[in-house]
Amino acid sequence: MDFLQKLGIDSYNQGVSTGVHWVGSEGEIIPSFSPVDGKHIASVFLADANGYETAVAKAQEAFKEWRLWPAPKRGEVVREIGMKLREHKHALGQLVSYEMGKSLQEGWGEVQEMIDICDFAVGLSRQLYGLTMQSERAGHRMYEQWHPLGITGIISAFNFPVAVWSWNSMLAWVCGNVCIWKPSEKVPLCSIACQHITAEVFERLQVPEGVSNLVVGGRDIGELMARDHRIPLVSATGSSRMGKAVGIAVAERFGKSLLELGGNNAIIITPDADIDIAMTGAVFGAVGTAGQRCTTTRRLIVHSSIYEEVKSRLVRAYSQLRIGNPLNQENHVGPLIDTMAVDMYSKAIEACKDQGGNFIVEGGVLNGDGYESGCYVKPCIAEVKPDYPIVCTETFAPILYIMPYNDLEEAIEIQNSVPQGLSSSIMTKNLREAELFLSQSGSDCGIANVNIGTSGAEIGGAFGGEKETGGGRESGSDSWKAYMRRQTNTINYSAKLPLAQGIRFDL
Ligand code: UN1
């Protein structure tokens, strides 16, 4: 495993860093096991309350200096991080794949997303534009400008152990913020590797200590961050349940939160679909990352006239899936993150059966040669009714629900009938169908695609969704605005003091 060495991972690693320096901790030691082969990779000292306090104090201090760096200079730092990531892409992708369990291609793809967001953020560092308005008063000028917020708290999930952090941190940094990152304790080594990569750059460019803090910890650290008034923005990725708790705690102290939570994404396949494209989109969407993306395709809503054809093609496609070690590029599907996730998968299958689901591709946990970790499961497909409680729930596993529809309005209603609102797509060559799906009466999701599956969004667009997905937007477009505060400035350069709205106040 020479990638561990290349990324600076030791047998024992500190879990708290203020950028260049690692902070000793009295916290619990957690081992990181690979879901690929069940082997112990390395261990990490979790952050305790003292480690957390050190990080917050350093971050506060660093912010005072970092916010004074011109934004394009901050962009230069991010550019250098992008260069370092290119150098480490191979090794970091391998670590992501080994520690998290996604395929090697997807591990490298995740690092590519990091590189891409660095490029995006570098350009953005010269484009943090505000508007100029026309004042209603003579001799007045009015405009708005954007200032950094301070500390951005980043809580990330296991499924994208490095990319989601980079979407947040690269933008937050060019905006002039400092960051405190609490990664998922299921994938601590990925975060430690990222911290080593950025530390090299930060040291060389003399970035103040405390701009990039890592706090590997459990739920207690997440709770501290959510309640901490010194952290004006908490960006959290994970389940809707976690996001609700974070959102409430942050709102209670009038902080800002950026929530990217559960999805329950559907593809509508219409009679005018190119079935080959629809199949590839659906199968990759459902089994890619073993069904553990927030953008995973969980529901297929298929027109009744092609329902049987789609079903039999899916059954055939699923019979060809190779499940096994994700570092072996022959395999399509790797393991789930841990045996707890396997348990949730098994329970969801049971619940689906109890609620009336008919499995056309059976699931099951795999044992034996190559499956020793106990984390490998069979992707499966069930015919369901759209309102089964299990169908309205996000299960982070490769379980695909399929259901028929008769007219497009009905299909859109089914698609929108779940509590989550992240990603959606329609497979059709019919312009009218596509445009209806994208119209105000169409998909209610943050992402709506045509002839593309629900997953694999590019970084250039704003990423996030509505309803229980939390409403936040990360990554591209103008998502940067979430990391800054807007200030409206009115300047009077006349010799009088006219009041707005024509009010007179004569002394
Ligand atoms: C996530 O699962 O939290 O769109 C993010 C995608 C990826 C990001 C997923 N670019 O599938």
Side-chain angles (χ1 to χ4, degrees):
M1 307 250 165
D2 60 341
F3 59 85
L4 292 177
Q5 209 185 346
K6 280 193 189 137
L7 295 166
I9 306 290
D10 294 325
S11 314
Y12 287 90
N13 302 272
Q14 291 298 340
V16 179
S17 156
T18 54
V20 182
H21 298 113
W22 293 87
V23 179
S25 163
E26 304 284 292
E28 189 192 332
I29 300 175
I30 53 155
S32 178
F33 293 103
S34 167
V36 172
D37 52 17
K39 289 199 179 124
H40 174 228
I41 317 173
S43 292
V44 180
F45 287 91
L46 284 189
D48 55 10
N50 284 337
Y52 173 75
E53 273 307 314
T54 308
V56 175
K58 279 282 176 225
Q60 278 187 304
E61 221 177 283
F63 177 56
K64 291 194 186 126
E65 196 183 328
W66 183 237
R67 66 184 169 186
L68 301 179
W69 284 42
K73 259 197 90 83
R74 296 192 296 251
E76 275 173 32
V77 175
V78 169
R79 181 173 46 235
E80 293 290 322
I81 295 173
M83 300 311 285
K84 270 271 163 272
L85 284 168
R86 284 172 172 86
E87 261 173 53
H88 288 90
K89 179 173 172 181
H90 195 80
L92 187 57
Q94 283 175 304
L95 174 61
V96 167
S97 174
Y98 190 55
E99 191 180 31
M100 185 275 161
K102 64 176 66 179
S103 78
L104 194 51
Q105 278 300 325
E106 291 182 61
W108 285 325
E110 191 174 339
V111 182
Q112 188 58 47
E113 278 199 44
M114 303 175 81
I115 294 168
D116 295 341
I117 199 74
C118 285
D119 287 353
F120 180 88
V122 175
L124 186 66
S125 70
R126 292 178 183 269
Q127 299 176 78
L128 303 170
Y129 301 137
L131 296 171
T132 305
M133 298 87 187
Q134 297 296 324
S135 171
E136 64 192 49
R137 287 169 282 183
H140 282 57
R141 186 163 75 79
M142 210 171 145
Y143 72 104
E144 65 185 20
Q145 54 177 344
W146 294 86
H147 291 310
L149 286 169
I151 303 177
T152 300
I154 303 167
I155 298 175
S156 62
F158 76 84
N159 66 333
F160 274 80
V162 292
V164 171
W165 161 72
S166 71
W167 298 351
N168 282 282
S169 57
M170 303 307 157
L171 259 56
W173 284 331
V174 297
C175 290
N177 297 305
V178 296
C179 297
I180 298 183
W181 179 19
K182 188 204 98 59
S184 160
E185 66 272 37
K186 293 179 199 267
V187 282
L189 303 176
C190 286
S191 67
I192 286 165
C194 288
Q195 192 71 2
H196 283 306
I197 291 170
T198 52
E200 270 180 65
V201 174
F202 281 16
E203 199 164 9
R204 182 157 45 80
L205 300 183
Q206 295 180 348
V207 172
E209 182 185 1
V211 168
S212 167
N213 301 278
L214 176 69
V215 185
V216 182
R219 184 196 272 212
D220 52 328
I221 297 291
E223 283 169 2
L224 282 177
M225 287 167 81
R227 286 200 300 265
D228 196 331
H229 67 275
R230 295 168 296 181
I231 304 185
L233 170 67
V234 178
S235 174
T237 305
S239 67
S240 296
R241 219 176 64 184
M242 175 281 296
K244 191 172 179 179
V246 169
I248 290 172
V250 174
E252 204 169 53
R253 60 175 175 85
F254 296 102
K256 293 179 204 276
S257 53
L258 197 173
L259 302 175
E260 202 262 276
L261 312 174
N264 193 346
N265 319 296
I267 299 180
I268 297 174
I269 308 182
T270 84
D272 282 333
D274 177 324
I275 300 283
D276 290 335
I277 290 183
M279 281 303 119
T280 312
V283 177
F284 176 72
V287 311
T289 330
Q292 301 170 105
R293 290 194 193 206
C294 54
T295 51
T296 290
T297 305
R298 310 217 175 270
R299 297 177 297 145
L300 285 186
I301 307 167
V302 184
H303 192 265
S304 47
S305 64
I306 50 166
Y307 186 73
E308 290 305 321
E309 184 192 350
V310 167
K311 245 170 61 177
S312 62
R313 287 189 60 166
L314 279 173
V315 171
R316 208 170 337 131
Y318 269 52
S319 71
Q320 285 157 14
L321 290 176
R322 279 187 301 271
I323 308 162
N325 189 327
L327 290 145
N328 174 350
Q329 295 197 60
E330 304 270 280
N331 291 324
H332 302 106
V333 185
L336 292 180
I337 183 69
D338 55 21
T339 49
M340 238 155 67
V342 172
D343 214 41
M344 273 174 344
Y345 157 90
S346 303
K347 287 204 172 106
I349 290 176
E350 280 310 303
C352 184
K353 286 184 176 160
D354 287 350
Q355 289 163 27
N358 169 40
F359 278 81
I360 57 170
V361 175
E362 287 289 343
V365 182
L366 295 162
N367 304 302
D369 235 18
Y371 302 133
E372 289 83 358
S373 70
C375 298
Y376 291 85
V377 300
K378 288 194 213 157
C380 56
I381 308 175
E383 286 186 288
V384 296
K385 295 253 163 54
D387 58 353
Y388 290 171
I390 194 69
V391 174
C392 300
T393 312
E394 180 191 48
T395 305
F396 235 47
I399 306 172
L400 180 63
Y401 302 118
I402 181 167
M403 58 208 90
Y405 79 89
N406 288 313
D407 65 76
L408 188 55
E409 277 84 1
E410 180 199 353
I412 292 172
E413 212 174 292
I414 295 173
Q415 124 81 34
N416 291 345
S417 67
V418 294
Q420 309 83 354
L422 178 56
S423 185
S424 59
S425 48
I426 190 168
M427 297 288 180
T428 182
K429 291 179 287 183
N430 180 322
L431 180 75
R432 288 186 186 159
E433 288 182 334
E435 290 292 334
L436 178 67
F437 178 73
L438 300 176
S439 76
Q440 59 275 42
S441 330
S443 164
D444 65 0
C445 292
I447 297 170
N449 296 331
V450 177
N451 295 329
I452 295 177
T454 56
S455 64
E458 298 180 21
I459 59 98
F463 184 89
E466 305 299 333
K467 303 191 291 187
E468 289 189 8
T469 304
R473 293 295 186 277
E474 295 174 320
S475 193
S477 184
D478 65 353
S479 305
W480 61 270
K481 289 179 177 167
Y483 301 84
M484 302 197 87
R485 60 187 170 89
R486 184 197 311 243
Q487 187 174 68
T488 304
N489 306 116
T490 310
I491 299 158
N492 175 9
Y493 60 93
S494 76
K496 294 192 184 126
L497 182 58
L499 299 177
Q501 296 92 40
I503 292 173
R504 294 179 63 93
F505 184 75
D506 296 323
L507 286 177

